[in-house]
Amino acid sequence: MKKSWWKILCTLMLLFITTGGMLMQVPRKKILNETIRNSFFHVPMWFCMMALFICSVIYSIKYLRNQKLIYDIYAKEYARTGLVFGLLGLVTGSIWATYTWGQPWSNDIKQVSAAIALLIYAAYFVLRNSIPDLDKRARVGAVYNIFAFAMLFPTIWIIPRLTESLHPGGTGNPVADPRNMDAPMALVMWLIAIPGWILLGFWISSINIRLRKIEDKNLLHV
Amino acid sequence: MLELRQQYTFYGVLLYVASTIFVLYLAMQQPESTVWNGLFWMIQLFICVNAVAKSFLQESRGRMLYFYSIAGPVQFIVAKLIYNMLIMLVMSLLSLILFQLLLGNPLINFWKFVGIVCLGAMSLSFVFTMLAAISARAQQQAALMAIMGFPIIIPQLMLLMRISKAGFGEIFKEGAFSDMVLLLTGLDVLVVILAIILFPFLWKD
Protein backbone atom coordinates (compact mmCIF):
# COMPACT_ATOMS: atom_id res chain seq x y z
CA MET A 1 0.00 0.00 0.00
CA LYS A 2 2.85 2.37 0.78
CA LYS A 3 4.37 1.80 -2.61
CA SER A 4 1.16 2.43 -4.48
CA TRP A 5 0.66 6.03 -3.38
CA TRP A 6 1.56 7.27 -6.83
CA LYS A 7 -1.04 5.06 -8.44
CA ILE A 8 -3.71 6.52 -6.18
CA LEU A 9 -2.41 9.98 -6.95
CA CYS A 10 -2.53 9.21 -10.67
CA THR A 11 -6.11 7.96 -10.43
CA LEU A 12 -7.21 11.03 -8.50
CA MET A 13 -5.48 13.37 -10.93
CA LEU A 14 -7.01 11.76 -13.98
CA LEU A 15 -10.45 11.63 -12.31
CA PHE A 16 -10.13 15.34 -11.75
CA ILE A 17 -9.04 15.93 -15.33
CA THR A 18 -11.93 14.01 -16.82
CA THR A 19 -14.55 15.61 -14.59
CA GLY A 20 -13.18 18.91 -13.31
CA GLY A 21 -11.37 19.58 -16.54
CA MET A 22 -14.66 19.34 -18.37
CA LEU A 23 -16.57 21.49 -15.89
CA MET A 24 -14.16 24.22 -14.81
CA GLN A 25 -14.20 27.74 -16.16
CA VAL A 26 -11.98 28.14 -19.19
CA PRO A 27 -11.13 31.32 -21.07
CA ARG A 28 -13.40 31.90 -24.04
CA LYS A 29 -11.34 32.35 -27.16
CA LYS A 30 -12.30 32.85 -30.76
CA ILE A 31 -12.16 29.69 -32.87
CA LEU A 32 -10.92 27.60 -29.91
CA ASN A 33 -14.07 28.00 -27.79
CA GLU A 34 -14.63 24.96 -25.63
CA THR A 35 -12.06 22.87 -27.50
CA ILE A 36 -9.40 24.55 -25.39
CA ARG A 37 -10.17 21.86 -22.83
CA ASN A 38 -8.37 19.47 -25.13
CA SER A 39 -5.12 20.91 -23.77
CA PHE A 40 -5.74 18.66 -20.76
CA PHE A 41 -5.57 15.64 -23.05
CA HIS A 42 -3.66 16.44 -26.22
CA VAL A 43 -0.68 18.30 -24.75
CA PRO A 44 0.06 15.83 -21.91
CA MET A 45 0.12 12.97 -24.42
CA TRP A 46 3.27 14.40 -25.96
CA PHE A 47 4.89 15.04 -22.62
CA CYS A 48 4.12 11.50 -21.63
CA MET A 49 5.47 10.13 -24.90
CA MET A 50 8.71 12.04 -24.49
CA ALA A 51 9.14 10.99 -20.87
CA LEU A 52 8.64 7.34 -21.82
CA PHE A 53 11.00 7.51 -24.79
CA ILE A 54 13.66 9.16 -22.66
CA CYS A 55 13.26 6.37 -20.13
CA SER A 56 13.50 3.80 -22.88
CA VAL A 57 16.77 5.29 -24.10
CA ILE A 58 18.21 5.36 -20.58
CA TYR A 59 17.52 1.66 -20.25
CA SER A 60 19.03 1.01 -23.68
CA ILE A 61 22.22 2.71 -22.55
CA LYS A 62 22.15 0.69 -19.35
CA TYR A 63 21.75 -2.47 -21.39
CA LEU A 64 24.78 -1.68 -23.53
CA ARG A 65 26.79 -0.98 -20.41
CA ASN A 66 26.18 -4.27 -18.67
CA GLN A 67 24.26 -6.57 -21.01
CA LYS A 68 21.46 -7.58 -18.65
CA LEU A 69 18.41 -8.78 -20.50
CA ILE A 70 16.11 -7.17 -17.96
CA TYR A 71 17.13 -3.70 -19.13
CA ASP A 72 16.19 -4.62 -22.66
CA ILE A 73 12.71 -5.52 -21.46
CA TYR A 74 12.42 -2.14 -19.74
CA ALA A 75 13.59 -0.30 -22.85
CA LYS A 76 11.17 -2.13 -25.08
CA GLU A 77 8.13 -1.74 -22.85
CA TYR A 78 8.71 1.97 -22.26
CA ALA A 79 9.07 2.50 -26.00
CA ARG A 80 5.87 0.56 -26.60
CA THR A 81 3.79 2.58 -24.17
CA GLY A 82 5.38 5.74 -25.56
CA LEU A 83 4.28 4.73 -29.03
CA VAL A 84 0.70 4.26 -27.83
CA PHE A 85 0.70 7.69 -26.21
CA GLY A 86 2.16 9.19 -29.37
CA LEU A 87 -0.66 7.67 -31.41
CA LEU A 88 -3.21 9.02 -28.94
CA GLY A 89 -1.57 12.43 -29.17
CA LEU A 90 -1.81 12.36 -32.94
CA VAL A 91 -5.46 11.29 -32.83
CA THR A 92 -6.51 13.87 -30.24
CA GLY A 93 -4.58 16.48 -32.19
CA SER A 94 -6.31 15.55 -35.44
CA ILE A 95 -9.73 15.74 -33.83
CA TRP A 96 -8.87 19.10 -32.38
CA ALA A 97 -7.51 20.32 -35.69
CA THR A 98 -10.69 19.29 -37.49
CA TYR A 99 -12.66 21.80 -35.44
CA THR A 100 -10.11 24.61 -35.25
CA TRP A 101 -8.00 24.49 -38.41
CA GLY A 102 -10.75 22.99 -40.54
CA GLN A 103 -9.07 19.73 -41.44
CA PRO A 104 -7.46 16.85 -39.57
CA TRP A 105 -4.12 17.07 -41.37
CA SER A 106 -2.60 20.26 -42.66
CA ASN A 107 1.06 19.38 -43.07
CA ASP A 108 1.96 21.50 -40.13
CA ILE A 109 5.61 21.05 -39.20
CA LYS A 110 4.74 19.60 -35.81
CA GLN A 111 2.28 17.14 -37.24
CA VAL A 112 4.97 15.99 -39.63
CA SER A 113 7.57 15.61 -36.91
CA ALA A 114 5.12 13.73 -34.71
CA ALA A 115 4.41 11.35 -37.56
CA ILE A 116 8.16 10.92 -38.11
CA ALA A 117 8.67 10.13 -34.44
CA LEU A 118 6.02 7.44 -34.59
CA LEU A 119 7.47 5.96 -37.78
CA ILE A 120 10.93 5.81 -36.22
CA TYR A 121 9.68 3.92 -33.21
CA ALA A 122 7.54 1.66 -35.35
CA ALA A 123 10.74 0.84 -37.23
CA TYR A 124 12.35 0.00 -33.89
CA PHE A 125 9.81 -2.76 -33.38
CA VAL A 126 10.13 -4.02 -36.94
CA LEU A 127 13.89 -4.18 -36.45
CA ARG A 128 13.52 -6.08 -33.20
CA ASN A 129 11.15 -8.60 -34.73
CA SER A 130 13.45 -9.30 -37.61
CA ILE A 131 16.26 -10.59 -35.39
CA PRO A 132 15.60 -14.04 -33.99
CA ASP A 133 18.52 -14.26 -31.58
CA LEU A 134 17.69 -12.79 -28.18
CA ASP A 135 20.98 -11.19 -27.21
CA LYS A 136 21.63 -9.90 -30.68
CA ARG A 137 18.12 -8.46 -30.86
CA ALA A 138 18.62 -6.68 -27.57
CA ARG A 139 21.98 -5.28 -28.61
CA VAL A 140 21.01 -4.12 -32.09
CA GLY A 141 17.72 -2.77 -30.76
CA ALA A 142 19.53 -0.78 -28.10
CA VAL A 143 21.96 0.66 -30.63
CA TYR A 144 19.15 1.70 -32.95
CA ASN A 145 17.13 3.11 -30.07
CA ILE A 146 19.98 5.37 -28.97
CA PHE A 147 20.82 6.38 -32.52
CA ALA A 148 17.23 7.15 -33.45
CA PHE A 149 16.64 9.07 -30.26
CA ALA A 150 19.74 11.17 -30.81
CA MET A 151 18.70 11.93 -34.38
CA LEU A 152 15.05 12.56 -33.63
CA PHE A 153 14.94 14.74 -30.59
CA PRO A 154 17.25 17.56 -31.63
CA THR A 155 15.24 17.85 -34.80
CA ILE A 156 11.83 17.88 -33.19
CA TRP A 157 13.01 20.31 -30.56
CA ILE A 158 14.85 22.65 -32.90
CA ILE A 159 13.23 22.59 -36.33
CA PRO A 160 9.75 23.68 -35.20
CA ARG A 161 11.37 26.72 -33.65
CA LEU A 162 12.94 27.68 -36.98
CA THR A 163 9.86 27.46 -39.16
CA GLU A 164 6.37 28.82 -38.86
CA SER A 165 3.58 26.62 -37.61
CA LEU A 166 -0.15 26.61 -37.06
CA HIS A 167 0.39 25.52 -33.48
CA PRO A 168 0.22 28.14 -30.80
CA GLY A 169 3.48 29.55 -29.58
CA GLY A 170 4.63 30.08 -33.13
CA THR A 171 8.33 30.59 -33.33
CA GLY A 172 8.90 30.83 -29.58
CA ASN A 173 8.04 28.07 -27.18
CA PRO A 174 6.57 25.29 -29.28
CA VAL A 175 4.64 23.60 -26.50
CA ALA A 176 1.90 25.86 -25.28
CA ASP A 177 1.37 29.54 -25.53
CA PRO A 178 0.71 30.94 -22.06
CA ARG A 179 -1.25 33.81 -23.58
CA ASN A 180 -4.05 31.45 -24.55
CA MET A 181 -4.68 30.22 -21.05
CA ASP A 182 -5.62 31.95 -17.83
CA ALA A 183 -3.84 31.17 -14.59
CA PRO A 184 -6.07 28.42 -13.17
CA MET A 185 -6.13 26.59 -16.44
CA ALA A 186 -2.36 26.68 -16.85
CA LEU A 187 -2.05 25.48 -13.26
CA VAL A 188 -4.37 22.56 -13.92
CA MET A 189 -2.51 21.63 -17.09
CA TRP A 190 1.03 21.80 -15.70
CA LEU A 191 0.39 20.47 -12.21
CA ILE A 192 -2.35 17.93 -12.73
CA ALA A 193 -2.90 16.94 -16.34
CA ILE A 194 0.71 16.47 -17.43
CA PRO A 195 2.00 14.65 -14.31
CA GLY A 196 -1.21 12.62 -14.19
CA TRP A 197 -0.86 11.29 -17.70
CA ILE A 198 2.86 10.67 -17.26
CA LEU A 199 2.15 8.63 -14.15
CA LEU A 200 -0.44 6.65 -16.09
CA GLY A 201 2.16 5.95 -18.77
CA PHE A 202 4.62 4.61 -16.23
CA TRP A 203 1.89 2.60 -14.55
CA ILE A 204 0.94 0.88 -17.81
CA SER A 205 4.60 0.20 -18.61
CA SER A 206 5.30 -1.24 -15.18
CA ILE A 207 2.42 -3.68 -15.55
CA ASN A 208 3.70 -4.73 -18.95
CA ILE A 209 7.21 -5.10 -17.60
CA ARG A 210 6.02 -7.31 -14.76
CA LEU A 211 4.10 -9.44 -17.23
CA ARG A 212 7.20 -9.78 -19.39
CA LYS A 213 9.29 -10.70 -16.37
CA ILE A 214 6.94 -13.56 -15.55
CA GLU A 215 6.86 -14.75 -19.16
CA ASP A 216 10.64 -14.69 -19.54
CA LYS A 217 11.42 -15.96 -16.07
CA ASN A 218 13.62 -18.81 -17.17
CA LEU A 219 15.50 -16.60 -19.63
CA LEU A 220 16.31 -13.94 -17.08
CA HIS A 221 17.95 -16.23 -14.60
CA VAL A 222 20.39 -17.94 -16.89
CA MET B 1 41.82 -1.00 -45.55
CA LEU B 2 39.59 0.90 -47.93
CA GLU B 3 37.81 -1.34 -50.34
CA LEU B 4 38.84 0.25 -53.58
CA ARG B 5 39.07 -3.20 -55.05
CA GLN B 6 35.35 -3.36 -55.56
CA GLN B 7 35.38 -1.10 -58.53
CA TYR B 8 32.46 -2.76 -60.22
CA THR B 9 30.06 -1.53 -57.50
CA PHE B 10 31.39 1.96 -57.97
CA TYR B 11 30.75 1.89 -61.68
CA GLY B 12 27.42 0.26 -61.03
CA VAL B 13 26.31 3.17 -58.90
CA LEU B 14 27.73 5.58 -61.43
CA LEU B 15 25.61 4.01 -64.12
CA TYR B 16 22.63 4.06 -61.77
CA VAL B 17 23.03 7.81 -61.31
CA ALA B 18 23.34 8.45 -65.02
CA SER B 19 20.41 6.31 -66.03
CA THR B 20 18.02 7.60 -63.36
CA ILE B 21 18.72 11.17 -64.28
CA PHE B 22 18.31 10.35 -67.96
CA VAL B 23 14.94 8.75 -67.26
CA LEU B 24 13.98 11.83 -65.29
CA TYR B 25 14.97 13.96 -68.24
CA LEU B 26 12.81 11.91 -70.57
CA ALA B 27 9.90 12.19 -68.17
CA MET B 28 10.16 15.79 -67.08
CA GLN B 29 12.17 17.70 -69.67
CA GLN B 30 12.90 21.01 -67.95
CA PRO B 31 10.99 21.37 -64.67
CA GLU B 32 10.61 24.58 -62.74
CA SER B 33 12.90 25.29 -59.83
CA THR B 34 10.87 23.88 -56.90
CA VAL B 35 10.31 20.63 -58.75
CA TRP B 36 13.96 20.61 -59.76
CA ASN B 37 15.01 21.00 -56.15
CA GLY B 38 12.68 18.29 -54.88
CA LEU B 39 13.72 15.86 -57.60
CA PHE B 40 17.37 16.55 -56.98
CA TRP B 41 17.19 15.67 -53.31
CA MET B 42 15.03 12.62 -53.87
CA ILE B 43 17.58 11.34 -56.36
CA GLN B 44 20.33 12.00 -53.80
CA LEU B 45 18.40 9.98 -51.26
CA PHE B 46 18.03 6.99 -53.54
CA ILE B 47 21.61 7.15 -54.72
CA CYS B 48 22.68 7.15 -51.12
CA VAL B 49 20.54 4.15 -50.22
CA ASN B 50 21.95 2.28 -53.19
CA ALA B 51 25.57 3.28 -52.83
CA VAL B 52 26.01 3.21 -49.09
CA ALA B 53 23.80 0.28 -48.27
CA LYS B 54 25.95 -1.90 -50.49
CA SER B 55 28.99 -1.19 -48.39
CA PHE B 56 27.77 -3.29 -45.50
CA LEU B 57 25.15 -5.56 -46.97
CA GLN B 58 27.35 -7.02 -49.64
CA GLU B 59 30.16 -8.03 -47.34
CA SER B 60 30.39 -11.76 -47.12
CA ARG B 61 30.86 -13.48 -43.81
CA GLY B 62 34.41 -14.38 -44.65
CA ARG B 63 35.34 -10.83 -45.55
CA MET B 64 33.88 -9.56 -42.28
CA LEU B 65 35.99 -12.07 -40.40
CA TYR B 66 39.03 -10.86 -42.27
CA PHE B 67 38.32 -7.25 -41.37
CA TYR B 68 37.69 -8.37 -37.85
CA SER B 69 41.14 -9.86 -37.65
CA ILE B 70 43.02 -6.90 -39.09
CA ALA B 71 41.24 -3.87 -37.60
CA GLY B 72 39.44 -2.66 -34.55
CA PRO B 73 35.79 -1.57 -34.72
CA VAL B 74 36.57 2.12 -34.43
CA GLN B 75 39.08 2.07 -37.26
CA PHE B 76 36.65 0.05 -39.33
CA ILE B 77 33.67 2.38 -38.91
CA VAL B 78 35.79 5.48 -39.44
CA ALA B 79 37.16 4.01 -42.65
CA LYS B 80 33.65 3.17 -43.78
CA LEU B 81 32.40 6.64 -42.96
CA ILE B 82 35.19 8.33 -44.88
CA TYR B 83 34.89 6.01 -47.85
CA ASN B 84 31.13 6.43 -48.08
CA MET B 85 31.43 10.16 -47.69
CA LEU B 86 33.86 10.37 -50.59
CA ILE B 87 31.64 8.19 -52.76
CA MET B 88 28.59 10.27 -51.95
CA LEU B 89 30.47 13.52 -52.64
CA VAL B 90 31.53 12.27 -56.04
CA MET B 91 28.05 10.99 -56.84
CA SER B 92 26.27 14.15 -55.75
CA LEU B 93 28.55 16.46 -57.65
CA LEU B 94 28.24 14.24 -60.68
CA SER B 95 24.47 14.19 -60.47
CA LEU B 96 24.50 17.96 -60.03
CA ILE B 97 26.41 18.28 -63.30
CA LEU B 98 24.03 15.89 -65.02
CA PHE B 99 21.04 17.80 -63.68
CA GLN B 100 22.56 20.97 -65.06
CA LEU B 101 23.08 19.40 -68.45
CA LEU B 102 19.78 17.61 -68.86
CA LEU B 103 17.16 19.26 -66.68
CA GLY B 104 18.16 22.86 -67.18
CA ASN B 105 19.73 25.31 -64.83
CA PRO B 106 17.40 27.20 -62.49
CA LEU B 107 20.25 27.98 -60.10
CA ILE B 108 21.11 31.57 -59.48
CA ASN B 109 23.62 31.16 -56.72
CA PHE B 110 25.58 28.20 -58.06
CA TRP B 111 28.46 27.96 -55.58
CA LYS B 112 26.25 28.24 -52.56
CA PHE B 113 24.23 25.36 -53.90
CA VAL B 114 27.37 23.32 -54.47
CA GLY B 115 28.31 23.88 -50.84
CA ILE B 116 24.87 22.76 -49.70
CA VAL B 117 25.09 19.69 -51.91
CA CYS B 118 28.40 18.72 -50.31
CA LEU B 119 26.94 19.20 -46.84
CA GLY B 120 23.87 17.19 -47.79
CA ALA B 121 25.94 14.38 -49.29
CA MET B 122 27.92 14.17 -46.08
CA SER B 123 24.85 14.03 -43.84
CA LEU B 124 23.16 11.44 -45.99
CA SER B 125 26.20 9.21 -46.20
CA PHE B 126 26.90 9.33 -42.45
CA VAL B 127 23.37 8.50 -41.43
CA PHE B 128 23.01 5.70 -43.94
CA THR B 129 26.38 4.20 -43.12
CA MET B 130 25.30 3.85 -39.53
CA LEU B 131 21.90 2.47 -40.50
CA ALA B 132 23.48 0.01 -42.90
CA ALA B 133 25.70 -1.17 -40.07
CA ILE B 134 22.62 -1.75 -37.93
CA SER B 135 20.51 -3.43 -40.56
CA ALA B 136 23.37 -5.66 -41.66
CA ARG B 137 22.76 -7.49 -38.39
CA ALA B 138 19.15 -8.28 -39.20
CA GLN B 139 17.23 -10.25 -41.79
CA GLN B 140 15.50 -8.63 -44.79
CA GLN B 141 18.24 -6.05 -44.75
CA ALA B 142 17.30 -3.96 -47.74
CA ALA B 143 13.71 -3.45 -46.65
CA LEU B 144 14.83 -2.57 -43.13
CA MET B 145 17.18 0.06 -44.50
CA ALA B 146 14.25 1.88 -46.03
CA ILE B 147 11.98 1.43 -43.02
CA MET B 148 14.56 2.74 -40.57
CA GLY B 149 16.26 5.21 -42.82
CA PHE B 150 13.49 7.27 -44.33
CA PRO B 151 11.87 8.53 -41.13
CA ILE B 152 15.25 9.35 -39.64
CA ILE B 153 16.45 11.19 -42.70
CA ILE B 154 13.23 13.19 -43.33
CA PRO B 155 14.05 16.05 -40.92
CA GLN B 156 17.51 16.49 -42.42
CA LEU B 157 16.17 16.25 -45.93
CA MET B 158 13.55 18.89 -45.17
CA LEU B 159 16.23 21.17 -43.79
CA LEU B 160 18.39 20.58 -46.86
CA MET B 161 15.56 21.36 -49.26
CA ARG B 162 14.79 24.43 -47.26
CA ILE B 163 18.32 25.85 -47.31
CA SER B 164 18.98 24.84 -50.87
CA LYS B 165 16.37 27.39 -51.88
CA ALA B 166 19.17 29.84 -51.20
CA GLY B 167 20.65 28.53 -54.43
CA PHE B 168 17.57 29.73 -56.27
CA GLY B 169 18.00 33.23 -55.00
CA GLU B 170 15.56 33.14 -52.10
CA ILE B 171 16.43 35.61 -49.40
CA PHE B 172 16.41 34.27 -45.85
CA LYS B 173 15.70 35.98 -42.59
CA GLU B 174 18.83 37.36 -40.96
CA GLY B 175 20.75 34.48 -39.38
CA ALA B 176 18.24 31.78 -40.32
CA PHE B 177 20.42 30.37 -43.07
CA SER B 178 23.56 30.06 -40.96
CA ASP B 179 21.44 28.61 -38.13
CA MET B 180 20.23 25.80 -40.34
CA VAL B 181 23.69 25.13 -41.76
CA LEU B 182 25.06 24.98 -38.23
CA LEU B 183 22.28 22.62 -37.20
CA LEU B 184 23.06 20.27 -40.08
CA THR B 185 26.78 20.34 -39.34
CA GLY B 186 26.05 19.68 -35.69
CA LEU B 187 23.91 16.69 -36.63
CA ASP B 188 26.73 15.34 -38.80
CA VAL B 189 29.18 15.60 -35.93
CA LEU B 190 26.65 13.93 -33.65
CA VAL B 191 26.18 11.03 -36.06
CA VAL B 192 29.92 10.48 -36.35
CA ILE B 193 30.38 10.50 -32.59
CA LEU B 194 27.46 8.13 -32.10
CA ALA B 195 28.76 5.83 -34.79
CA ILE B 196 32.14 5.65 -33.11
CA ILE B 197 30.58 4.98 -29.70
CA LEU B 198 27.90 2.55 -30.79
CA PHE B 199 29.55 0.57 -33.54
CA PRO B 200 31.75 -1.56 -31.25
CA PHE B 201 28.55 -3.06 -29.84
CA LEU B 202 27.44 -4.15 -33.29
CA TRP B 203 30.86 -5.48 -34.11
CA LYS B 204 31.37 -8.39 -31.79
CA ASP B 205 29.63 -11.41 -33.14
Side-chain angles (χ1 to χ4, degrees):
Chain A
M1 200 59 196
K2 261 184 186 170
K3 269 189 177 172
S4 59
W5 62 270
W6 60 276
K7 291 176 187 168
I8 297 167
L9 185 68
C10 167
T11 317
L12 287 178
M13 278 170 157
L14 290 184
L15 274 177
F16 176 76
I17 288 303
T18 42
T19 54
M22 289 294 176
L23 294 173
M24 70 180 278
Q25 282 286 330
V26 290
R28 298 183 188 286
K29 295 274 169 188
K30 265 182 218 162
I31 304 175
L32 278 176
N33 296 325
E34 291 291 321
T35 64
I36 199 169
R37 292 180 201 277
N38 200 0
S39 4
F40 297 144
F41 301 93
H42 171 64
V43 182
M45 293 299 157
W46 298 116
F47 276 90
C48 186
M49 181 192 85
M50 279 186 198
L52 289 166
F53 282 167
I54 289 171
C55 235
S56 166
V57 166
I58 291 172
Y59 277 107
S60 279
I61 295 171
K62 271 191 172 170
Y63 175 78
L64 286 185
R65 287 178 78 94
N66 50 19
Q67 316 277 320
K68 281 196 185 120
L69 217 50
I70 183 77
Y71 290 139
D72 181 54
I73 291 174
Y74 279 114
K76 181 190 153 203
E77 292 303 335
Y78 281 128
R80 197 156 76 167
T81 324
L83 193 64
V84 171
F85 272 89
L87 273 177
L88 285 175
L90 210 60
V91 171
T92 49
S94 301
I95 296 169
W96 200 359
T98 313
Y99 294 104
T100 49
W101 301 342
Q103 52 191 12
W105 190 270
S106 35
N107 267 341
D108 183 60
I109 180 75
K110 275 168 215 163
Q111 285 181 322
V112 174
S113 18
I116 292 170
L118 295 185
L119 281 178
I120 287 180
Y121 276 90
Y124 171 64
F125 288 103
V126 174
L127 176 71
R128 289 183 61 95
N129 284 334
S130 72
I131 304 174
D133 180 59
L134 257 176
D135 287 309
K136 198 163 141 192
R137 174 199 294 168
R139 204 165 58 230
V140 176
V143 168
Y144 175 74
N145 195 359
I146 297 169
F147 184 68
F149 181 86
M151 295 303 297
L152 171 70
F153 279 77
T155 49
I156 66 172
W157 282 329
I158 296 168
I159 291 180
R161 286 178 162 84
L162 292 178
T163 46
E164 61 280 352
S165 159
L166 285 168
H167 274 82
T171 46
N173 177 359
V175 178
D177 191 353
R179 277 168 300 173
N180 276 342
M181 282 185 252
D182 59 356
M185 200 187 155
L187 212 64
V188 169
M189 191 184 96
W190 287 102
L191 287 185
I192 300 179
I194 291 174
W197 286 108
I198 291 180
L199 284 181
L200 183 68
F202 280 92
W203 192 355
I204 295 172
S205 327
S206 73
I207 293 172
N208 273 331
I209 290 166
R210 267 154 55 198
L211 203 65
R212 248 319 107 188
K213 272 187 195 163
I214 297 168
E215 274 175 13
D216 295 345
K217 211 175 209 164
N218 41 357
L219 285 175
L220 290 171
H221 287 293
V222 286
Chain B
M1 181 71 225
L2 293 178
E3 53 257 73
L4 286 173
R5 282 151 293 140
Q6 286 176 296
Q7 295 212 327
Y8 62 95
T9 34
F10 180 76
Y11 292 122
V13 178
L14 215 64
L15 198 62
Y16 178 82
V17 173
S19 50
T20 355
I21 296 175
F22 187 63
V23 170
L24 260 184
Y25 164 67
L26 291 180
M28 308 284 299
Q29 306 293 343
Q30 311 252 310
E32 53 180 304
S33 63
T34 37
V35 179
W36 195 97
N37 190 19
L39 280 176
F40 181 77
W41 286 110
M42 284 325 281
I43 292 291
Q44 293 311 304
L45 178 63
F46 282 97
I47 291 170
C48 192
V49 173
N50 268 286
V52 173
K54 290 211 165 62
S55 72
F56 271 94
L57 305 187
Q58 282 190 339
E59 305 287 14
S60 63
R61 222 181 147 65
R63 174 100 51 78
M64 285 307 256
L65 262 176
Y66 170 65
F67 285 140
Y68 189 77
S69 63
I70 60 165
V74 175
Q75 284 168 306
F76 183 71
I77 190 73
V78 169
K80 280 278 189 199
L81 284 172
I82 294 172
Y83 175 74
N84 284 333
M85 184 186 84
L86 291 179
I87 279 213
M88 257 322 272
L89 278 177
V90 172
M91 293 299 164
S92 323
L93 292 177
L94 190 84
S95 53
L96 180 60
I97 294 168
L98 280 173
F99 258 72
Q100 295 270 311
L101 282 177
L102 294 177
L103 299 178
N105 182 10
L107 293 176
I108 296 167
N109 204 334
F110 182 73
W111 292 109
K112 211 171 201 173
F113 193 77
V114 171
I116 294 164
V117 168
C118 292
L119 187 67
M122 265 166 56
S123 333
L124 284 172
S125 68
F126 287 159
V127 170
F128 275 97
T129 309
M130 187 59 197
L131 286 175
I134 293 175
S135 61
R137 289 277 166 276
Q139 291 160 346
Q140 310 145 350
Q141 303 164 339
L144 260 183
M145 270 291 283
I147 294 171
M148 297 193 303
F150 289 174
I152 287 191
I153 205 73
I154 290 171
Q156 291 195 27
L157 216 55
M158 281 184 347
L159 266 182
L160 280 170
M161 288 186 197
R162 189 85 192 80
I163 59 172
S164 55
K165 284 187 183 146
F168 303 106
E170 192 184 298
I171 309 295
F172 278 87
K173 236 182 345 189
E174 186 74 24
F177 181 76
S178 57
D179 271 2
M180 287 193 244
V181 172
L182 268 180
L183 179 62
L184 274 171
T185 329
L187 278 174
D188 284 355
V189 175
L190 183 76
V191 174
V192 173
I193 294 172
L194 276 176
I196 290 171
I197 296 174
L198 293 178
F199 187 71
F201 292 107
L202 294 172
W203 182 243
K204 41 192 167 185
D205 234 356

